[in-house]
Each structure stands twice: as structure tokens, then as C-alpha cells.
Amino acid sequence: MSASKRDALTAAVALLGALPMPVGTGPAPMTPDREQEIRTREQAATPGPWESDGAEIYGTLGGVLMVDLWVGETLDVEDQERSNADAAFMADARSAVPELLAEVDRLRAEIAELEAARTTAAAEVTRSYWLEHRRPGDTTWQRNTPGIGANWSWQSREKADQRLTEARDRWPDFEHQLIETTTTVTSKAATP
């Protein structure tokens, strides 16, 4: 950087204060408002793609550089190479910004799908079974075994079917049925 540029930058910082993002720390996470600003500017800009011809930036039509679709130019009289690189960067940004925004949208959708899949995959399903009985002609089922009133439950269907058979044999004057309960427990990361 030339002495005059360094002096100009020093004067600007002295006048305007520190830069909003200290050099070398990297960009801060993008806020929704900042993203919307970028989307709004991208939609309002001259349609692309753009091309650069040295330091000047032009729109294209059908892939052909159109000098009458002049967009802008960069000017660094002390460093023409950098000026040309800046113009090439800006021209490329006209196509790159919509591509990057589309990629942000795609990645967000993919994250949402993965979160949904993770939540579904993390769902733990358990089944338990218990017996109910009633006297013939009664309309209400009771949850227990006749006579002793024990409320047993089993997580094995095989074991529950055995107990149903035993209850029918032991208390033949009652109707018996097996009830299945399905419990789903879903775990996912808490959101702030």
C-alpha cells in the first residue's frame, strides 16, 4: 500500500472511527436483516451476468459483452492490476451472489430435513400390554385381574399373550382382552 493510501486510510479512521469489523477477525454471522439487504440489492441490480473488460464492468446479452450495458468501473491509478481484479470480482459477484443465496436456501432446507429426520430417528417407541376383564353382559372393562385386582403390565407381547391365556383359563366366567399402549418419546436439541 502506498504512503498516500495509508495516510488516507488513517485519516478516514480518525474521522469516522474504527472499522465496523476489525481487520483479520473474519466476518460476523449474518443477521436476517443483513441477508434481506443483500437479497433486495441483488434483485434491484442490473440483470447479469456481468463481464469485466479491464477496469470496466458491462452487462451481457446472450453471453456477449455489451458495451452499451455499462455497469461501472473501478479506478486505482496507482495499481491498475488491482483495479482490474476488483472489476473482475464485482462482475463475477453479479452471478455469484444469487448462486450463494440459492445455496443458503438449499442448505437451510437440508438442515430442516436433517433435523426432522434426527427427531424422527431419535423417537423411542415402547409398547406395553395389560389385561382387562368384565363379566358377560357388562359394558365396562376393568383394568386388572378378577378377584385379586392385580394391575400387571408387560413389555413383551409374547408374555402378555401367555398371561391372557392363563387369565382365561383361571377365570373362565369373565371376558378378557389384551390392551396395547404405544408410547413415543422424542428427543431433540433444545432451541434457545
Side-chain angles (χ1 to χ4, degrees):
M1 178 183 298
S2 70
S4 62
K5 277 188 178 179
R6 190 172 23 259
D7 293 342
L9 182 58
T10 302
V13 170
L15 178 66
L16 301 173
L19 296 172
M21 179 185 71
V23 175
T25 63
M30 186 179 300
T31 65
D33 289 343
R34 176 67 177 128
E35 180 184 338
Q36 188 54 51
E37 286 175 23
I38 292 169
R39 289 181 185 276
T40 300
R41 285 188 183 130
E42 185 275 324
Q43 289 295 312
T46 301
W50 294 351
E51 293 289 334
S52 65
D53 179 16
E56 295 190 356
I57 305 163
Y58 297 95
T60 62
L61 189 58
V64 176
L65 184 73
M66 304 297 289
V67 292
D68 56 340
L69 292 177
W70 184 83
V71 176
E73 69 181 307
T74 59
L75 182 58
D76 186 340
V77 294
E78 294 181 7
D79 191 344
Q80 188 60 44
E81 190 174 315
R82 179 181 293 262
S83 188
N84 291 350
D86 289 346
F89 175 79
M90 287 185 260
D92 186 52
R94 183 62 189 104
S95 297
V97 168
E99 291 167 1
L100 290 169
L101 290 172
E103 182 66 1
V104 166
D105 294 340
R106 186 192 70 76
L107 290 171
R108 281 193 181 129
E110 187 174 321
I111 289 168
E113 283 180 34
L114 290 171
E115 285 291 327
R118 186 180 78 161
T119 300
T120 302
E124 183 180 320
V125 177
T126 59
R127 288 185 173 73
S128 60
Y129 306 89
W130 73 80
L131 297 179
E132 289 186 341
H133 76 280
R134 68 180 179 188
R135 292 190 181 278
D138 283 353
T139 57
T140 305
W141 290 91
Q142 296 180 26
R143 182 181 173 177
N144 55 30
T145 54
I148 59 174
N151 284 311
W152 291 315
S153 65
W154 306 273
Q155 293 200 344
S156 160
R157 175 65 189 255
E158 184 179 341
K159 184 63 126 177
D161 285 336
Q162 275 181 333
R163 296 298 185 210
L164 178 61
T165 301
E166 291 171 10
R168 286 178 175 156
D169 290 344
R170 187 167 180 184
W171 298 287
D173 296 340
F174 290 87
E175 295 177 24
H176 302 273
Q177 70 177 359
L178 186 62
I179 301 297
E180 176 183 88
T181 299
T182 304
T183 305
T184 303
V185 177
T186 305
S187 300
K188 69 175 189 172
T191 54

